[in-house]
Amino acid sequence: MNHAPHILIVDDDADIRELLRDFFQRRGLKVSLARDGTGMDVILSGGNVDIVVLDLMLPGQSGLELCQDIRKHSKVPIIMLTALSETTDRIVGLEMGADDYISKPFDPRELLARIKAVLRRHAPFEGEAVGRQPVDGTYGFAGWVLDVDRRRLLDPKGVRVELTRAEFSLLQALVESAERVLSREQLIERCGGDASYSFDRSIDILVSRLRRKLEDDPKAPRLIQTVRGGGYQFVAETSVG
């Protein structure tokens, strides 16, 4: 990203808004502030926001509702900010399209590190060939169709198979890097690096869930193979449509 990132902070706590604005501006970042969804929409309509830091508990529409609304028309990265620590709230936010999640109280330096990490993941890959991209496209394998643009998976009979956000991101990463071995660390990054899947064992569980939905026998996998000491490899022949 050649320009200073533009961060939109949506929080009804004026002290937190001012604290974060001062902290980020001292580090050369552009900051806009909103106390609720109405203010957020006004700023987002300008179309130049690079990332949204969105509080969960807001007057009017909740942060979860606003996250869902944003995802209907935008891929701008979102970090959820909340005083709640329950796993359910974190997972719901991630399933609705948030890219990361941080709980109050927090250190502004940690939030800045999270922002930089999310922006890196959303930046175009440079130098490294990460399989057959485009970001938007359709992939076919073993009769299945993965529609990246519409974010849907169709089985060989043309029936849509429901995937969670993390499952879809994992499958997309594997298919786009077909025949390449991806380490668990790489897969965590491709899945957004979110808090729910930040450990190797979590990726193993996610792969297991994905295999079940793809009807891929883990004892004799035809699609996703485990590479001992390496990670996972998508081995089915794929086509790009």
Side-chain angles (χ1 to χ4, degrees):
M1 184 176 294
N2 295 323
H3 64 280
H6 182 186
I7 304 169
L8 170 56
I9 299 168
V10 187
D11 196 307
D12 63 334
D13 188 320
D15 290 338
I16 289 180
R17 293 199 305 269
E18 296 299 324
L19 170 68
L20 292 179
R21 181 182 65 181
D22 293 346
F23 178 82
F24 292 135
Q25 285 183 343
R26 287 199 303 269
R27 286 154 179 79
L29 306 179
K30 182 178 179 181
V31 181
S32 293
L33 305 177
R35 70 174 300 273
D36 55 20
T38 301
M40 181 193 76
D41 289 339
V42 171
I43 297 171
L44 286 178
S45 65
N48 63 343
V49 171
D50 295 303
I51 189 166
V52 178
V53 177
L54 180 59
D55 189 28
L56 182 65
M57 304 299 291
L58 292 170
Q61 284 184 288
S62 72
L64 290 177
E65 292 172 315
L66 294 177
C67 177
Q68 192 172 34
D69 288 345
I70 291 172
R71 280 292 169 263
K72 292 177 181 178
H73 56 79
S74 174
K75 295 182 179 179
V76 64
I78 300 170
I79 294 179
M80 299 297 297
L81 184 65
T82 181
L84 301 178
S85 58
E86 286 82 357
T87 301
T88 299
D89 295 294
R90 181 173 70 246
I91 292 175
V92 169
L94 296 170
E95 294 293 351
M96 285 187 174
D99 296 271
D100 204 347
Y101 190 106
I102 187 170
S103 297
K104 299 176 183 177
F106 59 89
D107 187 326
R109 292 172 296 181
E110 180 185 359
L111 178 57
L112 178 58
R114 299 282 191 99
I115 288 171
K116 289 180 177 180
V118 170
L119 290 175
R120 282 197 302 269
R121 292 196 296 270
H122 280 258
F125 289 101
E126 297 178 1
E128 179 189 8
V130 192
R132 286 159 292 181
Q133 298 179 339
V135 172
D136 296 329
T138 302
Y139 296 85
F141 57 91
W144 295 77
V145 176
L146 182 69
D147 190 332
V148 175
D149 190 21
R150 295 180 177 85
R151 292 191 68 82
R152 65 180 183 179
L153 174 67
L154 303 179
D155 71 12
K157 295 180 180 179
V159 177
R160 183 169 183 171
V161 176
E162 294 298 328
L163 299 178
T164 67
R165 176 181 175 273
E167 288 167 354
F168 190 95
S169 297
L170 174 63
L171 181 58
Q172 180 181 347
L174 289 166
V175 171
E176 288 179 348
S177 300
E179 302 300 330
R180 278 188 62 202
V181 177
L182 295 179
S183 68
R184 290 171 176 82
E185 183 178 30
Q186 287 174 312
L187 288 172
I188 289 171
E189 286 296 312
R190 302 295 197 274
C191 287
D194 63 50
S196 297
Y197 301 102
S198 56
F199 301 99
D200 288 356
R201 180 56 182 160
S202 296
I203 287 294
D204 294 340
I205 294 171
L206 199 58
V207 168
S208 177
R209 282 166 36 189
L210 189 56
R211 278 173 170 161
R212 285 199 300 270
K213 292 187 177 182
L214 291 170
E215 301 175 357
D216 196 24
D217 184 355
K219 296 180 179 179
R222 300 174 297 105
L223 304 177
I224 304 172
Q225 289 190 353
T226 303
V227 179
R228 187 179 297 275
Y232 292 97
Q233 180 182 25
F234 194 82
V235 296
E237 183 176 347
T238 63
S239 60
V240 182

